[in-house]
Amino acid sequence: MRGLFTPQRVLIAFACVAALVACCGLAWWQWQRFESASGTFQNLGYVLQWPLFGLFPLFMVWRFRRLARQRRDEELAPEPVAAAPRPVATVDAVKPAPVEYLDDEEDAELAAYNRMLANLNARDGR
């Protein structure tokens, strides 16, 4: 197992703490600006935003470590054996079912359209 306090880890921890301290200082500065006579609600928004910026490097370190652990676990896991594929069933050409056409005068146009579709389907099946 690697050492807990390697130079790289100490540097990363120092950078995370420095970012958090700097961003909390900026949040304090924005709070003072908000309380001043020229302060606006935009300054209050920054008060809430700066600490999140300071915590972001810590989140990224956590996320990178988690992804590295997942990658390491995937490399150590045995390769799963794939099941044999099932044979594909073949389908013979399907003949369209006979269509009963309506004899009403109102539906003559619909019947003609349905005949045209049946002819196109039969032609497509050949």
Side-chain angles (χ1 to χ4, degrees):
M1 184 167 177
R2 296 179 293 192
L4 184 62
F5 295 106
T6 62
Q8 183 182 10
R9 287 184 178 184
V10 171
L11 184 62
I12 289 172
F14 177 74
C16 288
V17 169
L20 184 60
V21 168
C23 288
C24 285
L26 289 168
W28 177 255
W29 169 65
Q30 286 294 331
W31 178 256
Q32 289 176 341
R33 292 275 303 154
F34 172 68
E35 287 183 330
S36 72
S38 64
T40 63
F41 282 105
Q42 184 176 8
N43 298 113
L44 182 61
Y46 288 140
V47 167
L48 301 173
Q49 199 173 23
W50 278 114
L52 294 176
F53 289 156
L55 290 173
F56 185 73
L58 181 64
F59 169 75
M60 290 307 298
V61 168
W62 171 78
R63 179 77 173 140
F64 286 146
R65 290 187 58 151
R66 185 171 155 220
L67 289 173
R69 188 179 323 119
Q70 284 178 353
R71 198 174 19 225
R72 186 174 56 244
D73 291 345
E74 288 174 1
E75 289 173 359
L76 296 176
E79 188 73 26
V81 178
R86 288 190 277 168
V88 178
T90 59
V91 179
D92 294 331
V94 178
K95 293 184 180 179
V99 179
E100 295 184 22
Y101 298 105
L102 302 173
D103 291 331
D104 294 341
E105 291 178 17
E106 295 178 8
D107 296 323
E109 186 176 335
L110 178 62
Y113 180 70
N114 285 335
R115 278 192 299 275
M116 181 194 69
L117 288 178
N119 289 335
L120 287 174
N121 189 24
R123 203 178 332 157
D124 188 42
R126 286 186 244 158

